[in-house]
C-alpha cells in the first residue's frame, strides 16, 4: 500500500507541475489555493519525486525571467524544422499542407574517399510527374536545376512557395540554362543534420540573433566578432573583418544596406558545413546535375586535354560558374529533361553590363600549380553547394 500511495502522489505532483507550467506559458500566475495544494504532501520519496519537486520549483521561479513572445517561439520552431519564413497572409483553407522536412543523418562512410569519374558522363532524367500533386502535364512542369523534381506553378502557389511577385520570375527562369531551384534545394539549411542545426541555433541565441530578421552591416560584423571570440577566445583580426565586410557586400547585391534572413541563414549553413564536415562528406551532397555541370566546366578549362588545369583557371571557375548567376529574362525553350551546362561560352555566363566583381588575372605561381579533376571538385564543392539558392546574393564569397 505504501508503494501505491507513493506512485499516486507522484502522479499528482507531475500533474500539478504541468498545470503550473501551462499557466505560466499563458502569462497567468498560479492561484494561492493551487500553491497550497502543491506544497501539501508527505516527504520526498525516491529519485523521481525529487526530480518532480525540482521541476516544480523551477516552474514557480519562471516569472522572474522574461519570456519569449509567441511569435519569437514560432520563428525558432520554423528555424529548427527548416520551414523558412512563413508568409504573413497564408490562407491555409485554400492551400496544400506543407511537407514535413526530415533532416539528413550522417553515415559512417561519409568521410571515405568518393570516386567521381571525369570520363563517365551521367544520364540526367527528371521526374515525369509533379512532386506535389503527382500529375503529369508535360511542358507545364517546372524542373529544378539541382535535383530531379518537377512542379506545377499552381501547386507551388497552393503550397505557399510561389508568391505573386515571383511567379513571373520563376516562369521565365525555370526553362533557361540558369535554371530555378525548388524549395528543397533553395534552402541550404536543410543540408544540416539535427545536431548541426541545434549547434547553429545555440550560436545564434548566444549572439542575440533574432530569427527571420534582416541584418545590417553593423549587425553582421558584430555577430562575426562574437562568433570568433567564442571560438578562439580572442579578438577577430583586421584581415578577417575586412573579409566579413566583403561577404556582407556579396550578400547584399542590391545595396539595400541589409541582408535578408534567408540569405544570412544560407551563408551560415554553408559556413558550418565547411567547418565540421570533410570535403569527401561534402562531395556526397552533390546531385547528378551538379556533378555533370562540374565535368563540363572542367573539360572546358582543360584546353590541352591532359587532365589538369592551372590554379588560376580553377579560381576563375570559382568566380564565374560556381557562383550564383543573375537570372536570364529570355527563355531558352529547353525541355524539362534538359540539363544545360553553364560554361564560359554559354549564354548564362555572359551578363548584361559589367560583372559586379572583377576577376583578377592569375599570377605565375598560380599558373604553375596544376589541379586534377578530384582536386578541382574538392576545392570547389562548397561553392557548388553555395550556388543552389535562387537569390541573387553570393552566399560564399570566393577569396581573391
Amino acid at each position: 500500500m505504501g508503494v501505491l500511495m507513493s506512485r499516486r502522489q507522484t502522479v499528482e505532483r507531475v500533474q500539478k507541475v504541468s498545470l503550473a507550467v501551462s499557466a505560466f506559458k499563458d502569462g497567468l500566475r498560479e492561484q494561492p489555493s493551487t500553491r497550497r495544494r502543491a506544497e501539501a504532501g508527505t516527504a520526498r520519496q525516491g529519485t523521481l519525486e525529487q526530480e518532480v519537486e525540482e521541476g516544480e520549483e523551477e516552474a514557480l521561479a519562471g516569472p522572474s525571467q522574461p519570456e519569449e513572445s509567441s511569435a519569437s517561439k514560432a520563428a525558432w520552431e520554423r528555424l529548427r524544422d527548416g520551414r523558412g519564413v512563413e508568409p504573413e497572409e497564408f490562407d491555409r483553407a485554400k492551400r496544400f499542407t506543407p511537407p514535413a522536412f526530415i533532416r539528413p543523418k550522417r553515415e559512417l562512410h561519409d568521410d571515405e574517399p568518393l570516386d567521381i569519374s571525369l570520363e563517365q558522363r551521367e544520364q540526367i532524367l527528371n521526374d515525369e510527374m509533379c512532386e506535389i500533386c503527382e500529375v503529369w502535364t508535360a511542358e507545364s512542369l517546372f524542373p529544378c536545376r539541382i535535383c530531379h523534381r518537377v512542379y506545377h506553378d499552381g501547386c507551388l502557389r497552393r503550397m505557399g512557395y510561389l508568391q505573386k511577385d515571383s511567379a513571373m520570375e520563376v516562369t521565365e527562369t525555370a526553362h533557361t540554362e540558369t535554371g530555378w531551384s525548388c524549395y528543397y534545394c533553395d534552402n541550404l539549411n536543410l543540408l544540416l543534420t539535427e545536431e548541426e542545426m541545434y549547434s547553429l541555433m545555440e550560436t545564434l541565441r548566444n549572439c542575440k540573433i533574432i530569427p527571420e530578421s534582416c541584418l545590417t552591416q553593423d549587425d553582421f560584423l558584430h555577430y562575426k566578432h562574437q562568433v570568433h571570440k567564442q571560438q578562439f577566445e580572442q579578438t577577430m583580426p583586421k584581415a578577417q573583418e575586412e573579409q566579413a565586410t566583403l561577404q556582407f557586400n556579396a550578400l547584399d547585391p542590391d545595396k539595400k544596406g541589409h541582408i535578408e534572413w534567408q540569405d544570412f541563414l544560407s551563408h551560415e549553413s554553408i559556413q558550418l558545413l565547411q567547418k565540421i564536415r570533410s570535403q569527401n562528406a561534402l562531395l556526397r551532397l552533390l546531385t547528378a546535375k551538379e556533378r555533370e555541370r562540374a565535368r563540363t566546366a572542367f573539360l572546358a578549362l582543360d584546353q590541352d586535354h591532359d587532365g589538369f588545369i592551372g590554379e588560376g583557371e580553377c579560381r576563375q571557375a570559382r568566380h564565374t560558374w560556381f557562383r550564383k548567376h543573375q537570372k536570364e529574362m529570355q527563355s531558352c525553350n529547353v525541355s524539362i529533361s534538359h540539363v544545360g551546362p553553364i560554361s564560359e561560352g554559354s549564354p548564362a555566363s555572359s551578363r548584361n553590363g559589367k560583372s559586379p566583381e572583377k576577376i583578377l588575372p592569375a599570377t605565375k605561381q598560380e599558373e604553375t600549380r596544376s589541379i586534377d579533376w578530384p582536386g578541382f571538385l574538392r576545392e570547389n564543392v562548397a561553392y557548388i553547394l553555395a550556388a543552389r539558392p535562387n537569390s541573387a546574393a553570393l552566399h560564399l564569397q570566393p577569396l581573391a
Side-chain angles (χ1 to χ4, degrees):
M1 177 63 72
V3 174
L4 293 177
M5 288 296 293
S6 174
R7 290 180 178 176
R8 186 176 63 183
Q9 290 172 357
T10 300
V11 171
E12 290 176 354
R13 290 176 184 272
V14 170
Q15 293 174 345
K16 291 171 185 176
V17 171
S18 300
L19 290 174
V21 172
S22 299
F24 285 125
K25 284 185 177 179
D26 296 334
L28 302 176
R29 293 183 178 275
E30 190 180 22
Q31 299 297 327
S33 59
T34 306
R35 181 177 296 181
R36 284 196 297 270
R37 288 197 301 270
E39 293 175 350
T42 60
R44 301 180 182 179
Q45 296 183 11
T47 305
L48 180 58
E49 286 190 323
Q50 292 177 0
E51 293 178 353
V52 172
E53 290 285 352
E54 292 173 357
E56 188 174 3
E57 291 174 359
E58 292 176 0
L60 294 175
S64 62
Q65 298 179 353
E67 209 175 279
E68 286 185 314
S69 65
S70 58
S72 179
K73 288 181 178 178
W76 282 110
E77 289 177 359
R78 285 193 291 271
L79 175 61
R80 179 197 64 203
D81 298 337
R83 285 178 287 171
V85 180
E86 189 169 324
E88 296 180 0
E89 299 179 359
F90 194 78
D91 187 3
R92 296 184 181 278
K94 298 181 181 180
R95 298 187 185 273
F96 294 132
T97 303
F101 294 112
I102 301 177
R103 293 195 173 273
K105 294 183 179 180
R106 296 291 307 276
E107 302 293 339
L108 295 177
H109 64 278
D110 278 357
D111 295 325
E112 297 178 2
L114 184 64
D115 183 20
I116 301 177
S117 174
L118 176 62
E119 294 77 16
Q120 185 177 356
R121 311 303 292 260
E122 299 183 58
Q123 184 179 8
I124 306 299
L125 294 176
N126 284 321
D127 291 342
E128 296 183 353
M129 295 187 296
C130 174
E131 176 72 15
I132 298 174
C133 69
E134 298 184 349
V135 173
W136 178 83
T137 50
E139 292 300 324
S140 64
L141 292 171
F142 291 165
C144 175
R145 66 184 177 89
I146 305 299
C147 67
H148 54 81
R149 303 181 183 92
V150 293
Y151 301 85
H152 292 123
D153 59 340
C155 293
L156 291 172
R157 288 191 183 93
R158 294 191 65 182
M159 289 285 288
Y161 293 116
L162 188 62
Q163 305 303 312
K164 293 181 180 179
D165 56 348
S166 60
M168 183 61 68
E169 184 180 16
V170 172
T171 303
E172 295 289 343
T173 308
H175 291 288
T176 64
E177 291 190 50
T178 298
W180 163 81
S181 296
C182 69
Y183 53 85
Y184 285 103
C185 302
D186 180 66
N187 190 354
L188 295 180
N189 186 252
L190 294 180
L191 296 176
L192 302 183
T193 64
E194 288 187 6
E195 295 80 8
E196 292 166 346
M197 187 63 234
Y198 279 116
S199 174
L200 178 58
M201 290 178 62
E202 183 179 3
T203 301
L204 297 177
R205 285 182 182 273
N206 292 338
C207 296
K208 310 300 182 184
I209 296 296
I210 302 175
E212 302 181 7
S213 61
C214 298
L215 278 76
T216 64
Q217 181 172 327
D218 290 339
D219 297 333
F220 185 75
L221 292 179
H222 180 68
Y223 167 78
K224 289 295 183 180
H225 274 281
Q226 285 186 300
V227 171
H228 187 275
K229 191 170 185 179
Q230 291 177 7
Q231 185 175 0
F232 301 102
E233 298 183 353
Q234 62 181 4
T235 306
M236 186 168 66
K238 188 68 174 179
Q240 291 191 25
E241 182 178 350
E242 293 176 354
Q243 185 63 32
T245 302
L246 292 176
Q247 180 62 69
F248 177 85
N249 294 332
L251 290 170
D252 181 25
D254 299 329
K255 308 303 178 186
K256 295 179 293 186
H258 67 268
I259 55 179
E260 302 295 334
W261 167 253
Q262 195 60 38
D263 289 328
F264 171 75
L265 185 60
S266 293
H267 168 68
E268 289 304 306
S269 299
I270 198 69
Q271 287 278 81
L272 182 61
L273 287 173
Q274 277 189 296
K275 291 179 182 178
I276 64 180
R277 294 203 197 181
S278 65
Q279 290 176 327
N280 289 328
L282 293 180
L283 286 174
R284 296 182 185 277
L285 299 178
L286 297 180
T287 65
K289 290 183 179 181
E290 289 173 316
R291 292 192 297 267
E292 188 61 22
R293 289 175 175 177
R295 287 187 184 93
T296 302
F298 183 85
L299 292 173
L301 293 171
D302 184 17
Q303 298 294 332
D304 53 5
H305 306 289
D306 64 347
F308 293 89
I309 63 173
E311 184 177 355
E313 294 173 315
C314 182
R315 188 180 65 166
Q316 184 181 10
R318 199 172 301 159
H319 280 265
T320 53
W321 163 230
F322 296 122
R323 59 173 293 164
K324 189 68 192 80
H325 296 278
Q326 293 180 349
K327 297 178 176 60
E328 302 166 335
M329 296 309 294
Q330 295 181 351
S331 175
C332 294
N333 297 322
V334 295
S335 65
I336 63 173
S337 62
H338 175 72
V339 181
I342 301 179
S343 61
E344 291 301 311
S346 68
S349 65
S350 58
R351 304 181 184 178
N352 295 327
K354 295 182 179 180
S355 173
E357 188 173 350
K358 182 179 180 181
I359 302 176
L360 300 177
T363 63
K364 292 183 179 180
Q365 182 178 0
E366 287 178 336
E367 292 177 349
T368 56
R369 188 171 81 94
S370 297
I371 299 176
D372 59 2
W373 164 243
F376 177 79
L377 277 180
R378 288 194 301 269
E379 294 188 19
N380 292 285
V381 60
Y383 297 98
I384 303 176
L385 296 173
R388 287 185 177 185
N390 294 308
S391 168
L394 186 60
H395 297 95
L396 194 60
Q397 170 71 23
L399 297 176

